[in-house]
Every structure is written in structure tokens, then in C-alpha cells.
């Protein structure tokens, strides 16, 4: 039975998550405004699946990933992991919870300490959590290196001695060493060559099948997200625009923003020509987001209500959620 066919429970539930960053100015550095990086986002990630989170740069994708793991404090909302309130955890309870929630960072070089050999980098989490003795930790390091396609002698080398793809494999091995249930993959292939990207994506798929992992896969490349994700959430300016399964999103997108993003994907067949939807204007600043629907200044089908009323994020069809006034429950777009 595939992971899609198998019954799944929600491993991660995000409810009305908010993250505002203060803007300070003046002699006393008083807070004069707030950057609304994430503003009331809700979704869930099912056990054993890969949930892709996509959108333009600056839409809040990475902020969501870091806030879920409490690498960045939240401004509001709740996050439940395996039924437990993540934001309510303190001290030893939080430390225990973090064993099951790991992250693979975007930049495979700056996320690795250049002063530490690779073996110590991978074993650091084990040491922090008091897992095993030095011999047992060394055995785990050797095992993790093998799992990501590296050799035991690589444990004695330093990060600068590896290529970008190898460094990202080291980052994956570090995240995997604590045997977590859930991993945030924060644009893990965006800094790599295309040929290396496919190798890393295939490695993530292989490890997911072997360890039963659950991924939140953050990316801006829709082709990459299509390759690895089961369900996909599309974000725009701090809010969720659309969530559905991979097949439905690429076959029948409902939100105008999603349609514009998909129209920009190059077709591998030169005889197939997509109708390109070109969005006018720039992405508004999250410091001063527009009223109503945040996408309305660039939306090709916006009407008067879009300018004044923020559309609710509603279920429009089976397992298909959209935030748009012009998408009725039937799943068709009303353009008038």
C-alpha cells in the first residue's frame, strides 16, 4: 500500500499562525511598524506525506518553517505536533520534542560549522541529547554517512572540502541522526546544480520511504515541488491562497495566483505552448499590505469586493481549499 492510499492522521496542525517583525526607528529605537511576514496561516501535514509550500520570495514560507520549530518566536496562533502544543513546551519537554522535529537548511555551506569535522557535526545532536557513548555515536555517524551516499572517511574532513551537493547530504545526515518523525526542508536544492538537485530529491524520497518521514518541503520552484510533494500549499504575501493534492493543483488550479505561477513553468515539449499569464506590478510590501484580498492589485479578474473584503480560506471541493471570492463551491472561477 502506498503512503497516499494508507490512512493518514495529521502529524502537524498549524492554526492561525502569525509572525510579525518589528520595525524600529528613532534615537530610542521605538517600534514604529510591523512587517506581517505570516498573517493567520492554517494548514495540516499528514503523517508520512510531503507537504510542499510554494510562493514568491518574501511570501513567508521560510518564516513558517522556522516558527513551527521555534527557531523564531511566533506572534500568535498555535502549532500541534503529534497532538502536543509546540508553543507550550518548555525546558526538557521542548528538548525532547525537538528530537522529532529537524530541519535541512537552504544554504548547505553556512549551515555547517567550518571549524568542526563532519563526524562531529553529525554527532552533535546525539551528544546534546545524551544519546549513546562516543563509540555508539561514531557508529551512528558512519551509518548516516552511508545512508546519504558518503564514505566513512568523510567524517574526518571539514565542510570546505566538499561540493555543494555533498554538503547538503551532510546536512540531511545531521537531521536524520536523531531519528526524527518530521523534517522541514527549507529550499534544500535551490542552491544546487540541476543534475545534483535530482539526486538530492531522490535521496529524500528514498529516506522517507525507509524511515517513514514526514516532510514540509519549502520551495519556489514549482517543477521541484511537483516531483516530490503529495499535497501543496500556495502562499502569497503572508497568507495561504490554495491547498490541494498535487494532481489537482497542476491539472485544475482555482486561485488566479496559482494559475499565473503554473503558466510560467517551461514545457519540456517545444510543440506544447502554455497561455502565459503575466502579472502586472510588483509584490506589495508586507509592511503595508493592501486591504481586502492581498492579491487584488495584481489579479487579472479582481472585482470591487476583492479590494475591501479579505476572502475566507474555504473548502471549495474535496480536499481543495481556496481563498478567493470568485471561486464558488463548485470549483469554477466566476469571472464577472
Amino acid at each position: 500500500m502506498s503512503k497516499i492510499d494508507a490512512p493518514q492522521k495529521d502529524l502537524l496542525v498549524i492554526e492561525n499562525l502569525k509572525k510579525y517583525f518589528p520595525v524600529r526607528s528613532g534615537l530610542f529605537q521605538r517600534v514604529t511598524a510591523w512587517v506581517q511576514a505570516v498573517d493567520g496561516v492554517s494548514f495540516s501535514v499528514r503523517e508520512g506525506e510531503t507537504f510542499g509550500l510554494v510562493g514568491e520570495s518574501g511570501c513567508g514560507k521560510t518564516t513558517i518553517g522556522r516558527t513551527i520549530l521555534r527557531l523564531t518566536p511566533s506572534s500568535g496562533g498555535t502549532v500541534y505536533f503529534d497532538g502536543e502544543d509546540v508553543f507550550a513546551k518548555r525546558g526538557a519537554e521542548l528538548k525532547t520534542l525537538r528530537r522529532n522535529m529537524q530541519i535541512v537548511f537552504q544554504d548547505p555551506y553556512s549551515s555547517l560549522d567550518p571549524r568542526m569535522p563532519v563526524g562531529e557535526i553529525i554527532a552533535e545532536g546525539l551528544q546534546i541529547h545524551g544519546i549513546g557513548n562516543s563509540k555508539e555515536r561514531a557508529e551512528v555517524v558512519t551509518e548516516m554517512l552511508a545512508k546519504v551516499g558518503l564514505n566513512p572517511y568523510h567524517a574526518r574532513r571539514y565542510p570546505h572540502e566538499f561540493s555543494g551537493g555533498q554538503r547538503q547530504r551532510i546536512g540531511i545526515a545531521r537531521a536524520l541522526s536523531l531519528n526524527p518523525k518530521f523534517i522541514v526542508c527549507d529550499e534544500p536544492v535551490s542552491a544546487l546544480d540541476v543534475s545534483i538537485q535530482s539526486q538530492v530529491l531522490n535521496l529524500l524520497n528514498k529516506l522517507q520511504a525507509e524511515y517513514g518521514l514526514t516532510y514540509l518541503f519549502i520551495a519556489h520552484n514549482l517543477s521541484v515541488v511537483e516531483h516530490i510533494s503529495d499535497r501543496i500549499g500556495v502562499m502569497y504575501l503572508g497568507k495561504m491562497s490554495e491547498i490541494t493534492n498535487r494532481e489537482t493543483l497542476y491539472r485544475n488550479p482555482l486561485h488566479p495566483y496559482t494559475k499565473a505561477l503554473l503558466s510560467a513553468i517551461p514545457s519540456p515539449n517545444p510543440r506544447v505552448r502554455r497561455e502565459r499569464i503575466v502579472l502586472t506590478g510588483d509584490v506589495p510590501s508586507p509592511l503595508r499590505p493592501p486591504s481586502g484580498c492581498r492579491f487584488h492589485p495584481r489579479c487579472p479578474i479582481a472585482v470591487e469586493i476583492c479590494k475591501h473584503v479579505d476572502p475566507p480560506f474555504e473548502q471549495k471541493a474535496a480536499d481543495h481549499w481556496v481563498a478567493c471570492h470568485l471561486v464558488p463551491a463548485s470549483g469554477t472561477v466566476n469571472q464577472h
Side-chain angles (χ1 to χ4, degrees):
M1 181 179 288
S2 71
K3 63 180 178 178
I4 302 300
D5 297 327
Q8 295 169 298
K9 69 172 186 177
D10 290 336
L11 181 66
L12 186 76
V13 178
I14 296 95
E15 296 179 351
N16 199 30
L17 185 65
K18 297 180 181 180
K19 177 57 187 176
Y20 299 166
F21 292 97
V23 177
R24 303 179 184 275
S25 60
L27 180 63
F28 297 102
Q29 291 293 289
R30 292 191 175 94
V31 176
T32 56
W34 294 89
V35 175
Q36 300 177 28
V38 179
D39 190 20
V41 169
S42 300
F43 65 96
S44 63
V45 182
R46 298 165 186 165
E47 190 171 31
E49 80 167 349
T50 298
F51 186 97
L53 194 58
V54 299
E56 293 172 285
S57 296
C59 72
K61 308 183 300 296
T62 293
T63 302
I64 284 180
R66 296 179 69 88
T67 305
I68 287 170
L69 299 179
R70 289 185 60 176
L71 299 178
T72 300
S74 71
S75 302
T78 53
V79 173
Y80 296 97
F81 177 77
D82 211 6
E84 299 185 62
D85 188 344
V86 174
F87 296 161
K89 298 294 182 182
R90 298 288 184 274
E93 286 186 339
L94 177 60
K95 185 177 179 180
T96 301
L97 186 67
R98 279 185 163 155
R99 283 185 58 179
N100 282 317
M101 304 174 72
Q102 293 294 306
I103 184 170
V104 176
F105 293 97
Q106 177 178 1
D107 187 344
Y109 187 72
S110 62
S111 63
L112 303 177
D113 191 335
R115 300 166 298 180
M116 294 174 65
V118 164
E120 290 184 18
I121 290 173
I122 296 173
E124 187 176 22
L126 298 169
Q127 190 170 6
I128 289 171
H129 288 274
I131 300 172
N133 53 38
S134 58
K135 181 182 178 182
E136 291 168 337
R137 289 195 287 267
E139 291 173 353
V140 172
V141 168
T142 301
E143 180 186 356
M144 291 301 105
L145 286 172
K147 291 293 183 184
V148 299
L150 298 175
N151 296 309
Y153 65 83
H154 285 137
R156 300 187 295 273
R157 295 187 176 180
Y158 289 82
H160 72 270
E161 300 179 71
F162 295 89
S163 66
Q166 288 175 320
R167 284 196 289 262
Q168 196 59 288
R169 289 171 184 267
I170 294 166
I172 294 170
R174 176 177 59 184
L176 203 62
S177 65
L178 289 170
N179 194 24
K181 293 181 180 179
F182 172 71
I183 298 179
V184 174
C185 301
D186 183 14
E187 305 214 30
V189 298
S190 63
L192 307 178
D193 293 337
V194 174
S195 59
I196 305 301
Q197 286 184 13
S198 62
Q199 294 177 20
V200 173
L201 291 174
N202 291 335
L203 173 63
L204 289 171
N205 276 330
K206 176 186 172 185
L207 294 172
Q208 183 177 42
E210 184 173 349
Y211 289 96
L213 297 169
T214 303
Y215 293 143
L216 175 62
F217 191 91
I218 299 168
H220 62 268
N221 188 326
L222 282 160
S223 299
V224 169
V225 172
E226 182 182 15
H227 176 75
I228 197 170
S229 301
D230 300 313
R231 289 190 304 138
I232 299 170
V234 181
M235 285 191 68
Y236 182 82
L237 203 63
K239 285 185 173 289
M240 195 69 76
S241 299
E242 185 167 1
I243 293 177
T244 188
N245 61 73
R246 174 183 58 197
E247 292 79 10
T248 302
L249 187 82
Y250 285 84
R251 185 185 69 250
N252 183 34
L254 298 181
H255 198 282
Y257 177 60
T258 309
K259 292 182 177 182
L261 288 180
L262 293 176
S263 75
I265 300 176
S267 173
N269 187 347
R271 297 179 181 178
V272 176
R273 301 193 65 173
R274 286 193 177 96
E275 182 183 350
R276 182 74 168 90
I277 301 174
V278 180
L279 299 177
T280 59
D282 297 323
V283 180
S285 169
L287 189 62
R288 289 178 293 275
S291 60
C293 175
R294 295 190 175 185
F295 184 58
H296 87 259
R298 306 174 71 198
C299 182
I301 60 171
V303 295
E304 191 64 27
I305 190 175
C306 304
K307 300 177 183 178
H308 308 291
V309 181
D310 189 15
F313 193 60
E314 297 177 324
Q315 186 170 6
K316 304 293 185 177
D319 200 23
H320 200 158
W321 297 73
V322 185
C324 182
H325 293 297
L326 303 178
V327 179
S330 62
T332 58
V333 178
N334 179 8
Q335 302 204 27
H336 303 285

